[in-house]
Amino acid sequence: MASTSSPTLSQAILARPISGNASSSSSSDRVSLSLSALKFSPLSSSSSSLSSSSSRRASGSSHRSRRRLPAVLRPIRAAAVETLDTATEASLVEKSVNTIRFLAIDAVEKANSGHPGLPMGCAPMGHILYDEVMRYNPKNPYWFNRDRFVLSAGHGCMLQYALLHLAGYDSVKEEDLKGFRQWGSKTPGHPENFETPGVEVTTGPLGQGIANGVGLALAEKHLAARFNKPDSEIVDHYTYVILGDGCQMEGISNEACSLAGHWGLGKLIAFYDDNHISIDGDTDIAFTESVDTRFEGLGWHVIWVKNGNTGYDEIRAAIKEAKAVKDKPTLIKVTTTIGYGSPNKANSYSVHGSALGAKEVDATRKNLGWPYEPFHVPEDVKSHWSRHVPAGAALEAEWNAKFAEYEKKYKEEAAELKSIFKGELPAGWEKALPTYTPESPADATRNLSQQCLNALAKVLPGLLGGSADLASSNMTLLKMFGDFQKNTPEERNVRFGVREHGMGAICNGIALHSPGLIPYCATFFVFTDYMRAAIRISALCEAGVIYVMTHDSIGLGEDGPTHQPIEHIASFRAMPNILMLRPADGNETAGAYKIAVLNRKRPSILALSRQKLPQLPGTSVEGVKKGGYIISDSSSGNKPDVILIGTGSELEIAVKAADELRKEGKAVRVVSFVSWELFDEQSAEYKESVLPAAVSARVSIEAGSTFGWSKIVGSGGKAIGVDHFGASAPAGKIYKEFGITAEAVIAAAKELC
Amino acid sequence: MASTSSPTLSQAILARPISGNASSSSSSDRVSLSLSALKFSPLSSSSSSLSSSSSRRASGSSHRSRRRLPAVLRPIRAAAVETLDTATEASLVEKSVNTIRFLAIDAVEKANSGHPGLPMGCAPMGHILYDEVMRYNPKNPYWFNRDRFVLSAGHGCMLQYALLHLAGYDSVKEEDLKGFRQWGSKTPGHPENFETPGVEVTTGPLGQGIANGVGLALAEKHLAARFNKPDSEIVDHYTYVILGDGCQMEGISNEACSLAGHWGLGKLIAFYDDNHISIDGDTDIAFTESVDTRFEGLGWHVIWVKNGNTGYDEIRAAIKEAKAVKDKPTLIKVTTTIGYGSPNKANSYSVHGSALGAKEVDATRKNLGWPYEPFHVPEDVKSHWSRHVPAGAALEAEWNAKFAEYEKKYKEEAAELKSIFKGELPAGWEKALPTYTPESPADATRNLSQQCLNALAKVLPGLLGGSADLASSNMTLLKMFGDFQKNTPEERNVRFGVREHGMGAICNGIALHSPGLIPYCATFFVFTDYMRAAIRISALCEAGVIYVMTHDSIGLGEDGPTHQPIEHIASFRAMPNILMLRPADGNETAGAYKIAVLNRKRPSILALSRQKLPQLPGTSVEGVKKGGYIISDSSSGNKPDVILIGTGSELEIAVKAADELRKEGKAVRVVSFVSWELFDEQSAEYKESVLPAAVSARVSIEAGSTFGWSKIVGSGGKAIGVDHFGASAPAGKIYKEFGITAEAVIAAAKELC
């Protein structure tokens, strides 16, 4: 479709307060109040090449009357723009799009590293999103009610950096573009939320971003349902995602998108950059499925924009249509040319992940008529984009005013919402956690975990989560709430289905939506293998997700080796910025939750038992905080003969062994080693007080790999564990056969002291 | 659909040599030669409730004339059966199906653990597959040309155990059924190929099985294309899979099924047990997508059997239709009732994963009219199934005779095929591996890996594999071969697309298809996180997959922390039964491949560099075999002052540091520690000779987590590594900033000695 229609008009159709929500009863609450009265007819030119394969919902927009946009657009279209006439604006859009393309080309060229192809192909949709559609405040990237944007095809990050730069974000100045992929820059090789304000999540590993997007949209739908009032739509934003062929091939995206369809996340709009090229060449060699059909099966509304390279109006109309469909997420398949504009490399894998090279950069400059020096942003483009700083400030100010009104009327809700968007935990929340005495009944830590979760749900307004179809095994249901579902989005039990990977990434999205949202998710510990890539991103992107991982050892018994974690504890102890917690009883479980809730920028994994465990004397919430601590010592202040170290379900065994050894006159210390990371963070003095260098007789016991334990028990000690796969049998039998017993601890201790 | 049509006839339609392949020109080569002349009309009764949503291929079967099956069926339907009249046979099928149900019920009840629901619902399809459709030899579960069956919903393993028991497999005797889920039994809680002959792969972790099935079907298609001749279809079997709702939700199944559709795996027939119940209850709470539509999008033929509980003829007709569709895999959605027959628990989650309980077992016995004691197989059922032992022996004998003919005519091909199905490596194969001298050019180990792979491809007929869309980065293309594709299945470069998890599980299926198939697969090392569950299954199920993992550290540079592995080496060192190899140069890469090829029951992970590395003096193929070995020592037979230990790309740094330290007069030993697992397996003497206890001054360097290194360097040593996430910058800069340098090694060494 040629862009012959009035760009001013067509852009106006997409202008935020009008498009999609013009027919909504709540649009009068939006920032540009006067705009909601404007009516437009849909773009007639768009129908020719826009194919909608799902039934369209009546949006009411066809009754709107055509009208040219005047000064009312001022809050959004700043002064510099309104002086431009139609023709200029059409060429200005093109110029802005080419600015994006060349910022990407030049940055990749300078770094001699990166992915120019996607930004060149996706510049039109990027431009339309950031310049015409999205609501954001460049000077406060954390404004709560902003639209969220996720570049799931994270390798194309120069697209996002160029857009953030043009929009006026302080995080991406010209020198940052020039420092692309260099040490210490704000423009790393893939988008990283913790490096670059304005980037919402961390992407690059394919498929994570679209799943994060589902989490962001879930959060919006949940908060809107909880906090919006008939007279105040205080939570109201869209989530936009660009994903590529690679994301589409990954299983995680199917998992997350199946849930998005199930939940009816109507404000999730995903652009599928259908460029038919991946690293190995044409996608025909490995990817010939019908994505459209699959997404229809997943319950999405699907639109095909056939010309994503220059079909600006097609893209605009697609967004408009997507917004009109409120009960389904929308996939806009945008057919683009990877490396659009490069005369010799476009539409080939060579433009995917390498610099174009000086010669081809020149050829592309000629081909697209770009006479400028590298990194140059033409004045008119700069001026055009400059309105986003004041407009964004206005948007936020307007929302703040709206929130002040809301706060007056709905004090309690406002306080809850505030705690969610400010990330402040309610005073004294930790007092809700249950405490136990040695007389409290023995119980599985998974059950004790449920007591903690339910206690926390009463005091933490941001706590929500669920299990990958194991709620009744993981014990994760919040009894005071119902299920988060399409028609009950205000509820807090999320049913993820058997989709561990999608679950983890969705929780990352929830956590990064607002600092006060505290998502938890659950499965059997062994199935962290299914979601490890998402868990690693939690750790990297500082998303304080709480991973509730039950059935944490051979102690699960009959399900056998496919279900019995062995190496998993070790594998997470080796992972940076994550807390691996293995509580032994009720007090330690409560302590683990306390730590997990407090660590909002570091995810926690709680490894919990299937089997019953006694409440042990000496364990404590405060002890967990130290990572490792003494739960009993019979050395009367002297040097113990031996230190027995246990975690989780094996701490009980260490205690039993200690009892026996003490009967034989040994001075025995028992140490609970619930979290290696927390222990590592303690002072040298504290560490020495728990594990004195002078005591080399140390025995550890843990029903998992002994890998890594040398560091704790030293060369003079012994680590008891399981360094092979498990077995299918009742748990007690397996413990015995594998030698995870008090007898084994006693024997090892006697050998050492 | 009521089962009113003649069961004898309808079963006959499915009888192996007839169904599906009757119209095939090659069917005359099948075991029951005389059967291929028989013609039948399709079951008219099946059309009423069978809905086929893809276009059906003309199978020619509509021209077959209806005829009753006489004695020609003898090779398959043994003597006991032929005396039964039609009515008896109808009831006998029902009785056989109930036998399966009660064997499952009784075994779960005795174990008080397990999943009775699926076997009760899937018994009809299980019966039809094992009694009427599949070609196998119970007394030789490893017969090469057998049909493969995979229970992807592995928790329902009692279904498979009951079927193996009835069919006459020695692996599942009555006492094994009674020992279900007990220590040392052949009937673990989920199907394990390494425990139970007759079980093809290891399932339980959901979605793995269907992906294994894709691998099995790929292997068949590949071998058939390579070895079949116009006059001899020597490779010719089907792969059947039963998968459940859980498998369908997992992303891995979508990945693998997208590839199955792409490759047109027509002999893959998957039964989707559509029972609408998963652990958390009705699947409506999390799984409302249209699976049918999705699979159509994935390029599958989709059939819906609406009554899977008693609709035997529907199931039979669906299989017939599936076999007639030769260019697409088929999904037969079979709507069943979980726990069918249980009056109070059927169709509820309570029957999914728990014993029914004595009372409900009684009620179910009454409801299904089952007067027998637990574990009883009625005589007529036993007698009916008894024909499979002689029939299976006949099938194999016939095939063996056919192969003898083939061998005469096609000597070379027969030798290759034999080496594949016997798993014997060609004599002297390892001589093909390249060797290097210190003068050989510096190169990245990923490139050296490609040299090895291409050298091996010339001598190993079973080597095939590929990358998850990173072939040109992982350097995994076999230059002498083309792409394995739908129409070129004889080729050996497999294009997996960006589907790491599916890739790993498909490779497991390939490896377990025939002992001489050696699949390799590749991605960036960090993305093992995406496929970790499949890698773990490789290790558990003894599938000798070779994982070619490039870009193995911060040395990949600009892509940044999302792409830089840190904890990955440690995480695999902790995993049982897997070899984690990190070669330092050409000779070590060749050595790693030698080890990987020799370890057919233990997978190998090769961590390979993106960056160039020198060929180091002292490295060797033989050294790799020991896991850790001395590459240089300046102590002249005396005790070295310090031992420097490196792996992979950091061995070069250790060597540089040693050079400097030696200049200063230190006696320095340099040890390459390419594989911890292999070193662990060496004698105590050897270990002492490499790392003498007397030398506590040890410095290790590895660009990854130091987790675990305490064991090697001891409390007196120092481990240099990276215990935080990486960064986006050129590799050299990152190494320097992170202190992964010769200077750091020298400083540490000087502190210690």
Side-chain angles (χ1 to χ4, degrees), chain A residues 208 251-252 255 468 498-505 523-535 562-563 568 572, chain B residues 152 202-209 211 246-247 249-253 255 501 505 528-534 536-537:
Chain A
Q208 298 292 331
I252 184 178
E255 291 181 10
V498 194
R499 304 182 183 93
E500 298 83 5
H501 201 180
M503 173 172 75
T523 183
F524 289 167
F525 190 31
V526 78
F527 298 137
T528 49
D529 284 350
Y530 274 70
M531 58 193 306
R532 194 169 169 95
I535 295 176
T562 51
H563 286 53
H568 299 74
F572 287 110
Chain B
S152 189
T202 292
T203 57
L206 295 172
Q208 299 290 333
C247 294
M249 289 188 246
E250 291 285 6
I252 183 178
S253 65
E255 291 181 9
H501 201 180
T528 50
D529 284 349
Y530 274 70
M531 58 192 307
R532 194 171 169 93
R536 188 176 205 258
I537 296 277

Side-chain angles (χ1 to χ4, degrees), chain B residues 566-639:
Chain B
I566 297 292
E567 70 280 17
H568 299 74
I569 303 177
S571 79
F572 287 112
R573 285 182 185 145
M575 187 182 277
N577 199 45
I578 196 161
L579 291 169
M580 177 69 243
L581 298 141
R582 192 160 184 255
D585 64 2
N587 287 329
E588 287 203 350
T589 303
Y593 271 101
K594 186 173 171 189
I595 290 292
V597 170
L598 285 172
N599 276 270
R600 294 293 78 235
K601 294 202 161 195
R602 179 157 61 161
S604 299
I605 301 181
L606 277 64
L608 302 162
S609 77
R610 176 188 187 225
Q611 70 271 35
K612 266 193 192 178
L613 304 173
Q615 309 296 342
L616 296 169
T619 59
S620 70
V621 168
E622 285 312 295
V624 174
K625 203 171 142 187
K626 306 274 192 182
Y629 66 105
I630 302 165
I631 67 161
S632 73
D633 193 322
S634 64
S635 66
S636 323
N638 299 320
K639 192 170 82 77

Side-chain angles (χ1 to χ4, degrees), chain A residues 257-270:
Chain A
C257 291
S258 178
L259 283 170
H262 173 74
W263 290 326
L265 300 179
K267 287 162 93 172
L268 173 62
I269 300 177

Side-chain angles (χ1 to χ4, degrees), chain A residues 271-500:
Chain A
F271 296 79
Y272 162 33
D273 176 29
D274 170 48
N275 65 32
H276 272 273
I277 297 290
S278 63
I279 293 176
D280 277 353
D282 196 296
T283 52
D284 276 355
I285 65 171
F287 187 51
T288 49
E289 65 175 58
S290 165
V291 173
D292 315 42
T293 306
R294 177 160 62 87
F295 270 77
E296 283 160 22
L298 298 181
W300 286 53
H301 182 69
V302 180
I303 305 171
W304 183 15
V305 170
K306 290 181 182 166
N307 172 12
N309 297 327
T310 58
Y312 304 113
D313 283 350
E314 286 181 64
I315 296 169
R316 292 172 181 127
I319 297 170
K320 181 168 180 290
E321 179 177 326
K323 288 189 170 186
V325 176
K326 295 186 190 305
D327 61 343
K328 289 180 177 185
T330 294
L331 184 79
I332 305 178
K333 180 171 98 168
V334 188
T335 299
T336 69
T337 303
I338 192 168
Y340 179 85
S342 163
N344 304 304
K345 295 193 168 182
N347 200 29
S348 81
Y349 72 90
S350 64
V351 78
H352 171 93
S354 310
L356 292 177
K359 205 174 140 194
E360 187 65 12
V361 170
D362 281 351
T364 308
R365 277 189 148 71
K366 284 201 188 78
N367 189 42
L368 292 177
W370 198 252
Y372 307 106
E373 288 300 294
F375 297 101
H376 183 75
V377 178
E379 278 311 312
D380 46 355
V381 172
K382 203 177 277 180
S383 163
H384 173 75
W385 280 82
S386 68
R387 76 198 188 286
H388 288 288
V389 169
L395 280 168
E396 179 169 356
E398 189 118 11
W399 186 86
N400 287 340
K402 187 170 165 179
F403 185 75
E405 282 300 305
Y406 182 92
E407 208 167 10
K408 275 182 214 155
K409 282 193 197 167
Y410 310 105
K411 205 172 166 186
E412 211 172 305
E413 291 92 330
E416 275 210 350
L417 180 56
K418 212 171 187 173
S419 89
I420 286 172
F421 69 71
K422 292 212 159 181
E424 287 159 3
L425 296 169
W429 65 272
E430 71 278 7
K431 289 185 194 120
L433 284 167
T435 53
Y436 303 84
T437 68
E439 289 69 42
S440 303
D443 209 345
T445 47
R446 62 175 169 149
N447 292 330
L448 300 161
S449 159
Q450 187 172 39
Q451 294 171 11
C452 291
L453 277 172
N454 275 278
L456 291 172
K458 288 178 191 152
V459 292
L460 299 179
L463 187 76
L464 77 167
S467 159
D469 193 46
L470 287 168
S472 53
S473 291
N474 302 141
M475 308 305 293
T476 46
L477 281 183
L478 303 178
K479 292 169 185 172
M480 62 194 286
F481 297 113
D483 284 357
F484 172 90
Q485 292 287 355
K486 187 173 185 174
N487 297 318
T488 51
E490 69 282 7
E491 300 292 353
R492 298 207 223 160
N493 286 301
V494 186
R495 304 290 199 160
F496 290 101
V498 194
R499 304 182 183 93
E500 298 83 5

Side-chain angles (χ1 to χ4, degrees), chain A residues 543-570:
Chain A
V545 177
I546 302 176
Y547 291 95
V548 181
M549 296 295 152
T550 72
H551 296 60
D552 72 344
S553 77
I554 48 168
L556 64 85
E558 291 87 345
D559 273 344
T562 51
H563 286 53
Q564 290 164 355
I566 297 291
E567 69 279 17
H568 299 74
I569 302 177

Side-chain angles (χ1 to χ4, degrees), chain B residues 17 24 28 43 60 62 77 90 135 145 200 259 297 299 318 353 391 420 425 437 452 462 482 516 520 535 582 659 695:
Chain B
S24 155
S28 60
L43 278 177
S62 59
R77 327 193 124 257
R135 296 152 52 100
N145 203 41
E200 301 287 352
L259 282 169
I420 286 171
L425 297 169
T437 69
C452 291
Y520 66 92
I535 296 176
R582 192 160 184 255
D659 288 348
V695 184

